[in-house]
Structure formats: structure tokens, C-alpha cells
Amino acid sequence: MNKQLVASFVLLSALWGAGSVAIADDEDSFHHSSDRPVPKLFDANGKYVGNVVYFGEPEFGDPGVILNIHGALVYASIKRPLDTPTQLQWHGFGPSYSGPNCSGTVFVQYARGPFRPAAIVRSGATATLYVASGTLQQMVTVQSTVTGPPETCWSESSSYVIPAWTVESTFDLTQHYPEPLRVGF
């Protein structure tokens, strides 16, 4: 059953454009032998967040966790900040905005595998996850995008059209899972 589930997951990932997949699962002996512990992500209070997984292309992939946000499975990546190499924080693709200076309607431009597309915005010590709607991408007009690290708003002098998703909900990652994050077993 587990091998069939993993095979289906890999097939779905390939169809959705994901490069490599490595999912940590305590009960999945297909990926892990009993002598290899599964890495787990914990927040600053020691609360378990989820098993650490890798999802994405080598040039864009980061470790992260799969979260259930209001019934939608979302991939939230983590990264070591340049100034504190011993700690982890929430990090991921930023959203695009309809107006200049990262204002106006927020859109999610990138998807990670078969999960609900999401974007992460950092404002100081706060990391907010923008979860895309469960609809198909649509062509939208944008004028600015958050890129990073470090997170920076890039505005264009004129608007342009991209395929993106509208935002269904937001989730304050640092409120629910405070930083610094750490990996344990």
C-alpha cells in the first residue's frame, strides 16, 4: 500500500512539474530503514511542526514541511538566514501584487508539486503564508513582486500579465510556529 501511494505521489509530482521528491515518513520503510531517523521540524517552543521534506528543482528547492491550512495541503519551505547560520526560518517564493510597491491585490505565482500553491512574505520577524485559491491559474495584471533573500519589493514602471492564483487565505507562520526553527530526530 505504501509503495503504491509513493508511486502515485511521484507520478503526480512529475505531472505537476516537480523535480525531485524526498518525503520523510515514519512508517514508510520504502524510503527509510529502521536505523535512519526521520528529520523533524520543531519551532522555538519545541512544538513539532512536521517531517522535513524536500520538494522542488535543485536551483529552487529548499527543505520544508507540508502543512494543512484550512483543509489545503501546502508546502512551506525553510532556510538558514545568512546572518545566523545555525538557525532556520520560514522562507519561500514571494507573491506578486497588482499595484506598485507591493500594494494592491496579492497573487501567488509559483506552485510546488501537487500541493496548493503558496507564497511567503516576511515583514521583520513575521512570516505570513499566502495560500492560493483552489481554482486554476488565471492571467492577471501585476506591477510588483517580492523577491529575496533578503526580501525586497521590485516594482516595474508598467504593469505586465502573468499566470497566477488569487489568494484564498493567509496564515501567520511565526504566530503558530515561532522562529527560530530547528531540525531534530
Side-chain angles (χ1 to χ4, degrees), residues 33-52:
S33 64
S34 60
D35 62 339
R36 289 183 25 205
V38 176
K40 296 172 177 38
L41 185 67
F42 297 91
D43 70 10
N45 298 323
K47 180 180 174 184
Y48 171 74
V49 179
N51 290 350
V52 175

Side-chain angles (χ1 to χ4, degrees), residues 111-132:
R112 289 281 181 99
F115 306 111
R116 182 77 63 89
I120 296 176
V121 172
R122 295 196 66 85
S123 178
T126 302
T128 303
L129 184 72
Y130 287 81
V131 180

Side-chain angles (χ1 to χ4, degrees), residues 2 24-30 38 51:
N2 280 344
D25 185 352
D26 286 341
E27 299 175 5
D28 189 0
S29 61
F30 180 73
V38 176
N51 290 350

Side-chain angles (χ1 to χ4, degrees), residues 7-179:
S8 298
F9 191 76
V10 169
L11 177 62
L12 274 173
S13 300
L15 292 173
W16 281 61
S20 56
V21 179
I23 297 181
D25 185 352
D26 286 341
E27 299 175 5
D28 189 0
S29 61
F30 180 73
H31 286 293
H32 304 283
S33 64
S34 60
D35 62 339
R36 289 183 25 205
V38 176
K40 296 172 177 38
L41 185 67
F42 297 91
D43 70 10
N45 298 323
K47 180 180 174 184
Y48 171 74
V49 179
N51 290 350
V52 175
V53 299
Y54 171 86
F55 219 101
E57 300 294 333
E59 63 271 17
F60 297 117
D62 292 314
V65 293
I66 300 168
L67 301 174
N68 184 338
I69 308 296
H70 309 297
L73 294 180
V74 177
Y75 181 79
S77 59
I78 55 176
K79 194 168 197 124
R80 293 191 189 283
L82 297 174
D83 57 343
T84 56
T86 60
Q87 299 176 349
L88 297 167
Q89 68 181 23
W90 297 109
H91 170 79
F93 291 115
S96 295
Y97 295 83
S98 61
N101 303 317
C102 294
S103 64
T105 304
V106 181
F107 297 103
V108 176
Q109 189 174 358
Y110 300 103
R112 289 281 181 99
F115 306 111
R116 182 77 63 89
I120 296 176
V121 172
R122 295 196 66 85
S123 178
T126 302
T128 303
L129 184 72
Y130 287 81
V131 180
S133 64
T135 61
L136 296 175
Q137 275 183 316
Q138 54 189 310
M139 299 306 288
V140 298
T141 302
V142 298
Q143 195 171 350
S144 55
T145 301
V146 173
T147 62
E151 280 68 20
T152 306
C153 179
W154 290 94
S155 290
E156 297 292 331
S157 56
S158 61
S159 57
Y160 54 99
V161 177
I162 61 168
W165 290 268
T166 57
V167 172
E168 179 177 278
S169 64
T170 59
F171 183 80
D172 186 334
L173 287 165
T174 47
Q175 178 184 350
H176 291 88
Y177 305 111
E179 298 171 340

